[in-house]
């Protein structure tokens, strides 16, 4: 078989115009597949790293996914609040290590405003149990201080000491500005790659004041709970879900994330399927170009037979050709995909909070390359078989 | 070498039932003999060459080439046998356009260890010598593309390839029909000389009767083939 690799390569080179087009078609399809897969895995990881170290998320009675969405991802709204009494009760429970209150419902120029307290900066964890850190300034001290996420600071160009007002509701343009209660930016957080970057944090007192609810919070939207020991986690969750005084929902973030991912995963799998079909289209393009070349290459096959090539050599030659085309396409596609991803990492992280692994091509890419080349060789069986049959029938007679 | 180059006894061959293309009671070519076989197209000579070169499986009868009964060999073994012992030259377009002149000449050595081993002192050197003798300058650019050559030159390259590794039998199927008369005579002289130099038997097929005089023996396909395929078809 060794003499054939050189022949296949040179035969392809002789038809480099159409061969290059085929390689490009495969490369583009592979690039799309690699891109989709990397974004998919990145999205999943970035999703999973949004919250960590929190044992329970507690909110008013609702679906677990809804609770997760509004409390962690700042998507959607809570239907009702949780009473301050319930929050206090859980906070004082001997098995509970810490709690973080969350009060949502206002916004600043499209960014969600979250009322909380100092425990948020002490106990909130994301990614691999990383704590929040300040790029500048510090946590809020009074009802006029605000701490903003990295993206808010960057996008709106805010610095420490700048004054902002917040608006009721969550639209980008609101007619109900809480203009009588301005805030001063006291701290800016380091980027986290989570929705924290897109949040304006103020104290619960401030939330109460701007809504003129009098001193002290009457209710909060949700709260996060950290347990002293995992042993009592399920017990606490059941107790909260069955709490008589107020209808509550308590979810374990990991479980809710899993459920959410199952829903998002449908779109995600659809995307993968589409990309796979694009690769398939690329391979069919290759098949077409090889098949059309067969007719004019019957002479080539007859010459090879006359100098001693067996029909099986002709068969192998065409398989090799398909394999070489696919290999070139895959290498080009994967290289281009990773180059593109590397140049887009910052953009994806900043715009979409997607933190990609950019360690270059990995095991996944090898598997993909193997699968595509394998599929190409499988497809190559068709022209190989035709050429094999032709060369048996034609022998040395060259028909044109 | 005492074995006959070609020894055919009672060969019949038909593409389809009741339409014999070949019916050859006896035909032989002695070692080193140069035979001119005349016949119009459709007379079954391409089929005969296919059988002798082992590309087609013989129908009934015995076909021995260089003492080897081709009927006893599998298709793969016949391919191997052809690669090792037979050089072929076609009417035209003998060369692979994507290989250099040198690589085209070296093709038999690529597929056959026997031819590779018999090329003296090594395939590349012998290829260069053959090309030189056939008037294809290799010193200037041995990696030259075949597409730059005239048809006459291409046919001479094909001869060099057929002779590389000293095969015992050279089969030429109308190799001169695409050449003008000057080129044809020159080509023929070179072919004969090279075959003599290597001691190869030459089976030369053409419809051009004017060439016959240069050969040891000339005969018409009708002299050996009792079937009349072209009549059956009309």
């Amino acid at each position: 078989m060794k003499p054939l690799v050189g022949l296949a390569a040179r035969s392809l080179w002789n038809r480099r115009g159409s061969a290059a087009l085929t390689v490009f078609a495969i490369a583009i399809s592979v690039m799309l597949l690699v891109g989709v897969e990397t974004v998919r895995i990145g999205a999943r990881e970035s999703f999973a790293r949004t919250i960590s170290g929190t044992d329970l998320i507690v909110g008013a009675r609702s679906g677990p996914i809804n609770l997760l969405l509004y409390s962690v991802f700042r998507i959607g709204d809570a239907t009702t609040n949780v009473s301050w009494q319930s929050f206090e009760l859980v906070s004082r429970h001997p098995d509970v290590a810490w709690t973080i209150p969350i009060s949502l419902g206002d916004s600043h120029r499209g960014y969600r405003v979250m009322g909380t307290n100092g425990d948020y900066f002490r106990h909130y964890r994301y990614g691999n149990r990383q704590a929040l850190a300040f790029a500048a300034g510090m946590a809020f001290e009074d009802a006029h201080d605000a701490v903003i996420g990295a993206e808010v600071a960057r996008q709106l160009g805010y610095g420490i000491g700048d004054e902002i007002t917040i608006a009721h509701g969550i639209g980008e343009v609101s007619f109900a500005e809480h203009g009588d209660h301005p805030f001063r930016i006291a701290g800016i957080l380091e980027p986290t790659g989570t929705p924290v970057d897109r949040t304006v944090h103020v104290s619960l007192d401030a939330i109460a004041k701007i809504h003129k609810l009098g001193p002290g919070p009457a209710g909060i939207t949700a709260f996060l709970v950290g347990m002293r020991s995992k042993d009592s986690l399920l017990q606490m969750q059941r107790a909260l879900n069955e709490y008589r005084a107020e209808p509550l929902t308590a979810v374990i973030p990991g479980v809710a994330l899993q459920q959410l991912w199952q829903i998002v995963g449908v779109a995600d799998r659809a995307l993968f399927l589409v990309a796979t079909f694009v690769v398939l289209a690329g391979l069919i393009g290759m098949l077409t170009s090889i098949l059309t070349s067969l007719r004019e290459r019957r002479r080539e096959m007859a010459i090879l037979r006359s100098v001693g090539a067996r029909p099986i050599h002709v068969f192998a030659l065409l398989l090799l050709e398909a394999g070489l085309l696919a290999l070139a396409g895959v290498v080009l596609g994967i290289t281009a995909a990773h180059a593109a991803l590397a140049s887009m990492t910052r953009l994806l992280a900043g715009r979409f909070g997607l933190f990609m692994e950019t360690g270059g091509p990995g095991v996944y890419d090898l598997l993909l390359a193997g699968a595509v080349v394998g599929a190409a060789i499988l497809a190559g069986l068709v022209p190989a078989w035709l050429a094999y049959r032709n060369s048996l029938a034609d022998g040395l007679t060259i028909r044109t | 070498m005492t074995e006959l180059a070609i020894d055919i006894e009672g060969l019949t061959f038909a593409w389809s039932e009741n339409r014999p293309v070949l019916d050859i009671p006896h035909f032989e070519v002695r070692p080193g003999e140069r035979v001119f076989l005349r016949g119009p197209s459709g007379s079954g000579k391409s089929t005969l060459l296919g059988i002798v070169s082992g590309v087609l499986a013989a129908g009934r009868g015995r076909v021995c080439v260089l003492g080897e009964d081709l009927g006893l060999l599998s298709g793969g073994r016949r391919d191997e046998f052809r690669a090792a012992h037979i050089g072929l030259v076609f009417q035209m377009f003998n060369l692979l356009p994507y290989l250099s002149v040198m690589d085209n000449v070296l093709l038999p050595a690529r597929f056959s260890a026997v031819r590779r081993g018999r090329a003296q002192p090594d395939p590349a050197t012998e290829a260069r010598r053959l090309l030189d003798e056939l008037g294809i300058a290799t010193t200037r650019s041995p990696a030259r593309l075949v597409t730059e050559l005239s048809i006459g030159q291409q046919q001479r390259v094909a001869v060099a390839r057929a002779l590389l590794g000293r095969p015992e039998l050279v089969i030429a199927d109308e190799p001169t029909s695409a050449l003008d008369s000057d080129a044809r005579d020159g080509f023929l002289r070179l072919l004969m000389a090279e075959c003599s130099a290597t001691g190869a038997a030459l089976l030369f097929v053409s419809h051009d009767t004017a060439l016959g005089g240069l050969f040891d023996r000339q005969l018409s396909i009708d002299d050996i083939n009792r079937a009349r395929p072209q009549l059956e078809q009309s």
Side-chain angles (χ1 to χ4, degrees):
Chain A
M1 293 297 122
K2 214 178 88 193
L4 294 177
V5 181
L7 280 182
R10 276 196 265 185
S11 179
L12 279 176
W13 181 247
N14 189 47
R15 288 169 285 129
R16 52 190 170 277
S18 65
L21 281 179
T22 306
V23 167
F24 275 130
I26 295 173
I28 287 172
S29 69
V30 166
M31 193 175 148
L32 184 71
L33 187 62
V34 171
V36 163
E37 266 307 275
T38 313
V39 170
R40 204 164 79 110
I41 292 165
R44 184 187 285 241
E45 275 168 6
S46 142
F47 212 69
R49 52 174 274 134
T50 304
I51 185 165
S52 90
T54 294
D55 292 314
L56 285 172
I57 303 171
V58 186
R61 175 68 45 87
S62 72
I65 291 174
N66 189 33
L67 176 56
L68 179 76
L69 281 177
Y70 69 71
S71 64
V72 176
F73 291 95
R74 320 266 189 271
I75 296 169
D77 288 294
T79 41
T80 27
N81 278 354
V82 179
S83 71
W84 187 252
Q85 285 79 6
S86 299
F87 170 66
E88 294 259 86
L89 197 71
V90 174
S91 301
R92 284 198 300 268
H93 192 282
D95 289 343
V96 170
W98 51 263
T99 51
I100 297 170
I102 293 173
S103 183
L104 299 160
D106 293 309
S107 67
H108 171 72
R109 297 179 65 178
Y111 291 102
R112 297 285 183 116
V113 170
M114 185 177 102
T116 184
N117 61 24
D119 289 338
Y120 178 73
F121 301 106
R122 273 188 291 278
H123 298 302
Y124 189 81
R125 297 286 184 273
Y126 70 95
N128 193 20
R129 290 189 175 261
Q130 288 157 274
L132 298 174
F134 283 89
M138 51 181 191
F140 41 69
E141 282 181 339
D142 64 31
H144 287 275
D145 284 345
V147 171
I148 57 176
E151 188 189 329
V152 180
R154 201 186 65 231
Q155 289 291 327
L156 302 179
Y158 290 157
I160 299 293
D162 287 355
E163 284 212 345
I164 60 172
T165 56
I166 65 177
H168 192 68
I170 52 171
E172 187 131 8
V173 178
S174 174
F175 298 102
E177 289 272 336
H178 299 295
D180 51 341
H181 188 101
F183 286 90
R184 194 181 60 253
I185 291 171
I188 298 171
L189 294 171
E190 291 276 8
T192 62
T194 73
V196 170
D197 295 354
R198 298 189 293 273
T199 305
V200 176
H201 308 85
V202 298
S203 69
L204 287 173
D205 276 351
I207 296 285
K209 274 198 183 123
I210 58 178
H211 292 106
K212 307 200 168 53
L213 295 170
I220 52 176
T221 313
F223 58 95
L224 310 179
V225 179
M227 304 296 292
R228 283 192 202 285
S229 146
K230 301 287 174 215
D231 300 339
S232 49
L233 174 57
L234 291 176
Q235 210 180 332
M236 174 61 85
Q237 187 191 13
R238 191 164 54 240
L240 285 168
N241 281 327
E242 290 169 1
Y243 185 50
R244 299 249 171 138
E246 190 180 3
L248 296 176
T249 295
V251 299
I252 299 170
V255 175
L257 274 170
Q258 198 62 43
Q259 287 176 347
L260 179 55
W261 191 255
Q262 275 170 5
I263 297 171
V264 178
V266 175
D268 176 274
R269 276 193 296 277
L271 212 60
F272 176 72
L273 211 66
V274 168
T276 309
F277 274 103
V278 174
V279 171
L280 214 61
L283 290 180
I284 289 172
M286 176 198 77
L287 198 58
T288 312
S289 92
I290 294 180
L291 281 174
T292 34
S293 78
L294 276 191
R295 178 183 284 274
E296 62 216 41
R297 291 173 63 204
R298 287 180 113 161
R299 179 177 303 285
E300 180 183 332
M301 301 307 161
I303 293 168
L304 286 173
R305 297 267 344 251
S306 81
V307 295
R310 302 186 195 185
I312 194 71
H313 284 133
V314 170
F315 185 83
L317 193 68
L318 281 146
L319 275 194
L320 267 172
E321 201 170 286
L324 284 175
L325 282 171
L327 190 67
V330 165
V331 168
L332 189 66
I334 287 178
T335 311
H338 281 280
L341 283 169
S343 67
M344 287 195 309
T345 309
R346 278 179 62 97
L347 185 83
L348 287 171
R351 286 282 167 80
F352 306 106
L354 289 178
F355 282 74
M356 299 300 160
E357 288 288 326
T358 48
V363 179
Y364 170 77
D365 300 282
L366 269 181
L367 287 176
L368 177 87
V372 173
V373 172
I377 288 174
L378 222 59
L381 283 174
V382 177
W385 169 246
L386 286 175
Y388 176 85
R389 257 189 19 198
N390 283 351
S391 82
L392 272 181
D394 290 0
L396 303 182
T397 10
I398 298 162
R399 302 192 178 103
T400 43
Chain B
M1 197 189 302
T2 52
E3 303 280 6
L4 288 173
I6 300 174
D7 181 10
I8 292 175
E9 290 294 340
L11 168 69
T12 57
F13 184 90
W15 289 106
S16 57
E17 206 69 32
N18 303 325
R19 258 199 192 177
V21 178
L22 294 176
D23 177 5
I24 302 177
H26 179 77
F27 175 61
E28 63 171 56
V29 174
R30 289 186 300 279
E33 188 182 24
R34 292 170 300 187
V35 176
F36 179 85
L37 186 61
R38 188 176 63 245
S41 50
S43 59
K45 57 187 169 133
S46 292
T47 308
L48 176 61
L49 296 187
I51 291 171
V52 170
S53 59
V55 176
L56 296 173
R60 262 185 224 114
R62 198 170 60 92
V63 177
C64 285
V65 176
L66 307 166
E68 193 79 50
D69 188 341
L70 296 186
L72 301 178
L73 300 180
S74 67
R77 300 290 311 214
R78 289 202 307 272
D79 287 324
E80 233 169 74
F81 181 79
R82 171 174 67 257
H85 303 290
I86 302 174
L88 284 155
V89 183
F90 298 124
Q91 187 171 355
M92 57 193 302
F93 304 122
N94 277 283
L95 308 178
L96 292 180
Y98 52 82
L99 293 183
S100 69
V101 169
M102 263 310 258
D103 285 331
N104 261 289
V105 175
L106 288 171
L107 272 177
R110 210 186 255 255
F111 284 100
S112 166
V114 175
R115 295 278 283 276
R116 198 156 56 232
R118 267 193 266 156
Q120 288 302 327
D122 62 85
T125 313
E126 185 174 272
R128 223 166 285 131
R129 179 182 62 76
L130 284 165
L131 285 170
D132 271 349
E133 287 172 13
L134 288 160
I136 308 289
T138 53
T139 41
R140 197 154 33 96
S141 52
R144 183 144 75 129
L145 286 176
V146 298
T147 43
E148 296 165 15
L149 302 178
S150 71
I151 292 173
Q153 285 173 318
Q154 289 186 26
Q155 291 301 84
R156 280 183 273 155
V157 173
V159 169
R161 183 174 69 198
L163 289 165
L164 183 84
R166 311 168 77 89
E168 294 93 333
L169 175 61
V170 172
I171 297 176
D173 186 3
E174 308 232 19
T176 55
S177 64
L179 305 179
D180 58 46
S181 58
D182 285 351
R184 191 185 59 197
D185 292 345
F187 173 82
L188 218 52
R189 263 199 312 281
L190 282 170
L191 177 61
M192 305 282 243
E194 290 302 329
C195 285
S196 304
T198 61
L202 173 63
L203 179 59
F204 188 100
V205 179
S206 175
H207 62 269
D208 188 351
T209 48
L211 303 174
L214 296 164
F215 290 79
D216 298 337
R217 181 155 68 101
Q218 56 172 313
L219 65 166
S220 161
I221 184 128
D222 292 344
D223 299 340
I224 59 166
N225 187 13
R226 291 196 303 214
R228 292 289 179 271
Q230 73 272 39
L231 297 178
E232 302 262 334
Q233 273 165 6
S234 59

